[in-house]
DNA sequence: TATTGTTATACTCTATAACTATA
DNA sequence: TATAGTTATAGAGTATAACAATA
């Protein structure tokens, strides 16, 4: 990470590509920055054999033991069918269990195993460390402001989940 | 857009899902906010039959007529093979042309057609309008700070393209 | 009739290896 | 030998329709 900018050896005299129009848009910068953050996170989670989605699901199950798949899909902002394979994987690796709910036999209560909680703790610690490295030099106030702005966008324009 | 929050009718008494651990991470909020921005952008571009990638490519070609595919792939932070279908589509729709470079017969110079420039102008205007709507209420200073932060993350940690 | 979880499916975006034609 | 563009392919992430079991 943070190599000394090897950059492309464009043939001499060829001007840099201008993104003057695009750079005015927040969406453009969010995509590019998110790609970086996403790639860094993927690297960080690789030793734990987790991806962003399996990591997110595991953390939410640890923090909310007993929750149902539909609630989790809602919290993760993904469709229920897409959650199935994620839960399958976490269950296969014995990080969580799918327990039948006695009061509603259609639903599953998702619970972390001891191994799941331990892996979760380690992964969260690693992600915390990596994110501070990624954001080193960024003032805490700026970071808070950026997060607040992101939340504002999420909250006000998040799609309905009827 | 901006419906009156129909929200999920969770069965009475079920507590909301807590994302207390995840919400501390910038990456978590960036993913969620980016999903919103991305969905909004896709809606905005639909009338022009453009996606985020074809839109980005078209704008860059209009702003940098004559650039080559490898330069464009570099600017867009995507791999060259993935750019081919994008350029194919823009060429098929006669929004751009692939012109052979006399001095290097391996390369193509990408140039916008008149129709391409016109569609580009209209699309950029629409995206500008929609982004202001999406960010209404956000102070200009905050917006600038967020963009600066995103650029900082891009610049310092962007992957090498050797 | 509605909901939970599931299957099947499809589309987009991304990534790599290997090819061709040029340099 | 190296580069520009291409092909083929595979893996993720995301979205919808339709089904079985249950409410």
């Amino acid at each position: 990470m943070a190599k000394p900018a090897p950059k492309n050896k464009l043939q001499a005299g060829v001007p840099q590509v201008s993104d003057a129009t695009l750079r005015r848009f927040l969406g453009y910068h969010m995509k590019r920055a998110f790609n970086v953050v996403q790639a860094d996170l993927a690297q960080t989670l690789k030793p734990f054999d987790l991806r962003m989605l399996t990591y997110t699901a595991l953390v939410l199950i640890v923090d909310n033991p007993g929750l149902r798949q539909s609630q989790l899909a809602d919290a993760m902002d993904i469709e229920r069918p897409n959650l199935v394979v994620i839960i399958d994987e976490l269950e296969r690796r014995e990080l969580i269990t799918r327990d039948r709910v006695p009061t509603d036999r259609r639903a599953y209560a998702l619970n972390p195993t001891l191994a799941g909680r331990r892996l979760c703790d380690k992964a969260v610690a690693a992600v915390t460390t990596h994110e501070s490295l990624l954001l080193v030099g960024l003032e805490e106030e700026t970071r808070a402001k950026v997060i607040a702005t992101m939340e504002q966008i999420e909250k006000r324009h998040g799609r309905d989940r009827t």
Side-chain angles (χ1 to χ4, degrees), chain A:
Chain A
M1 321 284 153
K3 310 247 184 74
K7 265 302 157 203
N8 236 344
K9 32 187 175 236
L10 300 172
Q11 57 274 59
V14 172
Q16 277 301 327
V17 177
S18 158
D19 63 347
T21 301
L22 294 173
R23 64 184 303 112
R24 292 185 293 124
F25 297 105
L26 180 57
Y28 175 66
H29 295 286
M30 279 185 65
K31 182 186 168 88
R32 299 175 75 90
F34 178 64
N35 280 350
V36 170
V37 171
Q38 160 90 312
D40 184 80
L41 188 57
Q43 278 302 116
T44 306
L45 292 174
K46 191 172 270 180
F48 306 103
D49 206 3
L50 291 170
R51 289 162 295 134
M52 191 160 185
L53 283 171
T54 50
Y55 168 74
T56 305
L58 180 58
V59 173
L60 287 173
I61 293 168
V62 166
D63 274 6
N64 303 272
L67 93 171
R68 294 187 280 107
Q69 286 185 210
S70 52
Q71 291 178 294
L72 181 54
D74 235 46
M76 290 177 67
D77 248 351
I78 63 177
E79 299 301 319
R80 287 123 192 99
N82 297 326
L83 184 60
V84 175
V85 288
I86 295 169
I87 297 302
D88 281 349
E89 184 180 329
L90 293 176
E91 188 187 33
R92 182 183 51 73
R93 292 175 57 192
E94 298 187 350
L95 299 171
I96 65 162
T97 56
R98 262 195 258 235
D99 307 320
R100 278 287 180 200
V101 176
T103 56
D104 185 346
R105 303 203 42 255
R106 293 171 302 182
Y108 286 113
L110 303 173
N111 286 296
T113 63
L114 181 56
R117 276 193 297 269
R118 281 181 178 151
L119 187 69
C120 181
D121 287 351
K122 280 189 242 169
V124 168
V127 171
T128 304
T129 303
H130 270 254
E131 186 160 302
S132 347
L133 282 174
L134 190 73
L135 301 179
V136 67
L138 192 69
E139 281 175 39
E140 184 48 40
E141 189 210 329
T142 306
R143 179 192 150 100
K145 193 165 237 176
V146 172
I147 286 186
T149 305
M150 299 290 142
E151 280 188 305
Q152 202 176 323
I153 294 173
E154 290 170 40
K155 295 286 159 53
R156 290 193 322 188
H157 301 275
R159 48 190 176 156
D160 324 316
R161 334 202 98 263
T162 319

